Amino acid sequence: MANVQSLAEVRAVREPGKRMRSRLLDAAVELFKAKGLTAASVAEIARAAGAYPSQVTYYFRTKEALFVEAACREVLYVARQAESAAAGATTGSDYNRRLVETVVGSPGLALFVEALSLTRRRQDLAPLIERTFERLHAEGDRAYADARRARGWTGPEPTATVARRFWTLALGVALREGATDATVADAAEEMMALLRAAPVVRATADNQTGDA
C-alpha cells in the first residue's frame, strides 16, 4: 500500500505540471502564429496561459526551446488532420490531394519549417526535431499502409518510403512558398505534380480506382 500511495503522490505532483506545460504550449503556438518568434514575448505567452514568465523558463528554459516544441507538436496535429481528411478518399489521386490540401499552407507546417531553421543554430534542440520526424514518418507509414490494405492498392515502393517522400516534398514546397510570391494554391499544385511523377499506386483487379 505504501508503494501505491507513493506512486499516487508522484502522479499528483506531475499532473499539474503537465497541464501547465500544455497551457503554455497552447498559448505559445497561437502567439507564434500571429506574431512570429521574435515579436511574441515570454511575458505575453505567460499572460495568455495564466502563468508567470518564470514558469516559461522553468518548463522550457528559453523562448526558442518553447517555439521548437510548440512547432513540433503543431506539425503532428497537422499530420493527424491530414490523415482524417484523406480517410474517405477512394482513389490514389484523391488521397494525395486531400493530404496535400490539408498540409500545404497550414500554419503548423510553416512553424515547423521555421523551427528547422532555428535548430541549425541551436543543436541542443535537434533531438526534439529528430523525434518529430520519426513520428511523422512512422504515422505516415501506418496511415498509408492501412489505406492500401483497405482499398486493395498496390505499389512498387514500401509505404515507409512513400511517407518519407511526402514530408520531404511538403517541407520543400513550404520553404519555397515562404521565400517567394507563390500562392498556397500554386504550392499545392506543385506538390501534386511532384507526387504524380513518383512511382504510381496500382489497384488490384477488385479495386480499379487506386491509380495515383
Side-chain angles (χ1 to χ4, degrees):
M1 180 63 70
N3 287 339
V4 172
Q5 290 175 337
S6 177
L7 288 172
E9 288 169 358
V10 169
R11 194 172 291 116
V13 171
R14 288 179 177 173
E15 286 304 316
K18 288 181 180 179
R19 288 195 294 271
M20 177 54 70
R21 285 186 103 263
S22 182
R23 279 164 45 193
L24 288 167
L25 285 165
D26 288 342
V29 78
E30 294 307 317
L31 283 165
F32 288 142
K33 285 178 183 178
K35 305 180 73 171
L37 171 61
T38 303
S41 70
V42 168
E44 284 181 298
I45 293 167
R47 186 164 55 250
Y52 296 103
S54 60
Q55 289 176 291
V56 175
T57 54
Y58 174 78
Y59 286 109
F60 300 98
R61 302 189 319 278
T62 66
K63 183 173 71 168
E64 291 76 16
L66 171 58
F67 178 85
V68 170
E69 185 163 343
C72 287
R73 190 180 73 158
E74 197 67 9
V75 79
L76 292 171
Y77 285 162
V78 171
R80 285 195 285 274
Q81 290 166 358
E83 181 181 340
S84 178
T90 56
T91 67
S93 59
D94 186 34
Y95 184 88
N96 284 344
R97 182 163 292 280
R98 292 187 190 201
L99 290 177
V100 168
E101 290 182 349
T102 304
V103 170
V104 172
S106 64
L109 184 64
L111 283 182
F112 190 61
V113 169
E114 189 173 350
L116 295 179
S117 178
L118 172 62
T119 306
R120 292 184 63 187
R121 304 187 301 274
R122 289 286 307 273
Q123 283 298 299
D124 57 304
L125 302 176
L128 180 56
I129 293 288
E130 291 170 2
R131 289 195 298 273
T132 302
F133 270 121
E134 288 171 2
R135 285 191 60 184
L136 283 173
H137 294 155
E139 291 178 13
D141 178 14
R142 175 198 47 77
Y144 186 47
D146 288 347
R148 291 213 310 192
R149 279 193 299 271
R151 295 162 178 81
W153 297 343
T154 61
E157 294 183 311
T159 54
T161 301
V162 176
R164 284 178 175 272
R165 178 188 296 114
F166 178 87
W167 285 107
T168 299
L169 291 175
L171 290 167
V173 166
L175 184 60
R176 178 178 173 183
E177 178 205 342
T180 67
D181 59 358
T183 66
V184 171
D186 290 338
E189 287 306 315
E190 178 185 9
M191 185 165 171
M192 285 297 298
L194 291 168
L195 289 172
R196 283 193 293 269
V200 299
V201 173
R202 296 181 177 83
T204 65
D206 294 330
N207 182 357
Q208 294 297 323
T209 60
D211 290 347

